């Protein structure tokens, strides 16, 4: 299949965030670049503002005074003020940002900013001293950064020229040739592997597992170190059989595995869904208990993956949880 998107002569990217001083996205202190656009449809998505490839406007109920200035400013008639607050018709909105400028309280925010390679390298070099003292660097995250592969192949040589350590954080779902064009330009891959049963993967992420596993093979064949990550989502990815299956795949197929991370479910993204005018199916789902995460890490360890670790927000008390055969420290 050919890429039918028009070729850009000066590729630029669209980011929805630049997070400085990140310590969760690879070794050392890092600057994480969040690329906008993702082909997956995971119900637990923690960055819903990263799903749509185009810029969007967020609305914050708590600081809106329902003055109507935004609706009066929008030439497209995309905003209505109702009993439920501001409603943005996203099929009509073009994210021009006029309403954002007109809002007197800052309740509207435009997410999605374009950078070319010159501008972005200036941004990431601002924290060079921290990378050098901590063994850190730059992480490409999202969204799915490989969706903006044309930009990456222009930007990453600039990072190499500056001797920056680069980590690619990917869902693994992208064209193989896009991934292969980027792999020689990165030092580490953070690879999401959420579900190991093909039918579950397709049902819960919207994309087929075989393409993801094929790309994991490509990363290993390139000889790159890989940190695999599994979000532990209640009722979706947290059954022991799933984690055993993933662990077996890692043990038998991923020879360059350096680390395996279980990431505890977080509902801190609920407000972002509301700001986008969307509902979050897992909003009422409680956080997991530390004992649950310990138990699941133990399951993985029993399958021979000793380097497993877990992180993320958890409930303060584990009193009501089954601890299994793992003793809490
Ligand atoms: S961003 Fe522009 S098009 Fe969208 S609602 Fe605001 S003023 Fe209207
Ligand atoms: S302009 Fe701002 S404060 Fe006024 S209704 Fe729109 S979002 Fe709310």
């Amino acid at each position: 299949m050919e890429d039918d998107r028009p070729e850009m002569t000066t590729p630029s990217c669209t980011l929805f965030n630049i997070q400085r001083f990140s310590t969760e996205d690879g070794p050392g202190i890092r600057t994480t670049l969040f690329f906008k656009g993702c082909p997956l449809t995971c119900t637990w998505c923690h960055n819903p503002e990263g799903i749509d490839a185009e810029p969007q406007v967020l609305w914050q109920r708590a600081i809106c005074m329902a003055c109507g200035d935004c609706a009066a400013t929008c030439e497209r008639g995309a905003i209505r003020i109702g009993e439920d607050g501001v409603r943005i018709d996203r099929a009509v909105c073009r994210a021009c940002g006029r309403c954002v400028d007109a809002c007197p309280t800052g309740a509207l925010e435009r997410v999605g900013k374009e950078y070319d390679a010159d501008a972005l390298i200036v941004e990431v070099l601002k924290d060079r001293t921290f990378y050098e003292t901590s063994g850190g660097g730059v992480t490409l995250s999202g969204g799915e950064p490989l969706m903006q592969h044309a930009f990456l192949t222009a930007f990453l040589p600039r990072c190499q020229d500056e001797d920056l350590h680069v980590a690619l954080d990917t869902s693994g779902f992208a064209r193989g040739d896009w991934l292969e064009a980027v792999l020689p330009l990165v030092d580490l891959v953070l690879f999401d592997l959420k579900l190991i049963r093909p039918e579950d993967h397709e049902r819960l992420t919207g994309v087929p597992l075989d393409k993801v596993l094929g790309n994991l093979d490509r990363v290993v064949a390139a000889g790159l170190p890989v940190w695999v990550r599994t979000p532990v989502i209640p009722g979706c990815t947290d059954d022991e059989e799933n984690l055993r299956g993933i662990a077996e795949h890692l043990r038998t197929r991923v020879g360059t595995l350096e680390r395996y991370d279980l990431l505890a479910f977080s509902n801190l993204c609920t407000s972002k869904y509301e700001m986008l005018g969307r509902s979050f199916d897992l909003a009422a789902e409680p956080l997991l208990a530390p004992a649950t995460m310990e138990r699941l890490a133990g399951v993985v360890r029993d399958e021979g993956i000793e380097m497993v670790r877990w992180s993320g927000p958890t409930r303060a008390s584990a009193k009501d949880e089954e601890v299994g055969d793992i003793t809490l420290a």
Side-chain angles (χ1 to χ4, degrees):
M1 189 176 82
E2 292 297 316
D3 180 2
D4 53 7
R5 296 187 309 176
E7 280 299 319
M8 290 187 290
T9 47
T10 53
S12 62
C13 69
T14 304
L15 302 184
F16 64 92
N17 192 15
I18 296 178
Q19 186 176 326
R20 301 186 182 282
F21 306 110
S22 168
T23 55
E24 305 292 327
D25 301 318
I29 295 172
R30 312 190 70 81
T31 295
T32 302
L33 308 175
F34 290 89
F35 288 77
K36 206 157 170 9
C38 180
L40 280 68
T41 54
C42 313
T43 51
W44 57 83
C45 180
H46 192 61
N47 290 322
E49 76 278 37
I51 297 172
D52 197 306
E54 300 300 323
Q56 290 167 292
V57 173
L58 306 185
W59 170 66
Q60 225 176 318
R61 178 190 299 277
I63 54 173
C64 173
M65 58 182 192
C67 66
D69 287 0
C70 51
T73 307
C74 180
E75 291 173 346
R76 299 183 68 88
I79 297 186
R80 273 191 308 108
I81 315 287
E83 284 183 4
D84 203 25
V86 167
R87 279 292 170 99
I88 302 173
D89 184 340
R90 297 184 183 277
V92 175
C93 171
R94 290 293 172 270
C96 68
R98 288 170 60 100
C99 56
V100 176
D101 295 338
C103 176
T105 68
L108 295 170
E109 178 192 356
R110 186 179 188 275
V111 285
K113 186 170 175 188
E114 281 204 357
Y115 292 87
D116 63 19
D118 289 342
L120 197 54
I121 199 74
V122 167
E123 285 299 318
V124 301
L125 287 176
K126 286 177 182 170
D127 291 327
R128 170 173 222 142
T129 308
F130 296 103
Y131 312 149
E132 288 174 353
T133 54
S134 70
V138 178
T139 298
L140 318 167
S141 186
E144 173 49 65
L146 290 170
M147 284 184 76
Q148 301 190 48
H149 62 100
F151 173 79
L152 294 181
T153 53
F155 172 65
L156 293 178
R158 304 287 298 275
C159 294
Q160 286 187 321
D161 290 347
E162 298 292 344
D163 212 17
L164 298 178
H165 180 275
V166 175
L168 168 68
D169 175 11
T170 179
S171 68
F173 187 78
R175 276 178 38 171
D177 57 333
W178 294 356
L179 177 66
E180 282 175 347
V182 168
L183 288 180
L185 304 170
V186 306
D187 304 289
L188 168 70
V189 178
L190 313 181
F191 198 103
D192 277 11
L193 187 51
K194 303 166 173 80
L195 293 147
I196 203 67
R197 291 185 293 268
E199 61 278 14
D200 290 345
H201 196 279
E202 188 131 11
R203 179 171 55 87
L204 291 165
T205 72
V207 300
L209 176 66
D210 58 349
K211 196 161 185 173
V212 172
L213 293 184
N215 278 335
L216 184 51
D217 286 345
R218 286 184 170 90
V219 173
V220 175
L224 282 166
V226 57
W227 296 8
V228 171
R229 317 211 281 187
T230 299
V232 179
I233 312 300
C236 297
T237 67
D238 65 337
D239 66 280
E240 293 188 7
E241 189 188 334
N242 181 48
L243 294 173
R244 267 195 211 98
I246 291 175
E248 185 189 353
H249 188 89
L250 300 183
R251 184 167 43 75
T252 56
R253 297 291 296 264
V254 186
T256 59
L257 184 72
E258 269 194 2
R259 193 169 137 165
Y260 179 46
D261 289 273
L262 297 176
L263 310 177
F265 163 72
S266 167
N267 54 16
L268 297 175
C269 55
T270 303
S271 62
K272 291 199 275 188
Y273 280 85
E274 193 195 24
M275 290 161 81
L276 282 163
R278 295 180 52 180
S279 60
F280 179 42
D281 293 347
L282 299 171
E285 187 68 43
L287 296 179
L288 294 161
T292 302
M293 295 303 296
E294 285 290 340
R295 174 172 56 79
L296 296 175
V299 166
V300 170
R301 222 173 272 124
D302 288 347
E303 289 295 321
I305 303 297
E306 290 291 332
M307 72 279 273
V308 64
R309 59 178 80 184
W310 69 267
S311 61
T314 49
R315 269 185 267 164
S317 167
K319 268 190 294 196
D320 56 347
E321 286 292 316
E322 230 181 86
V323 175
D325 59 353
I326 302 294
T327 306
L328 289 176

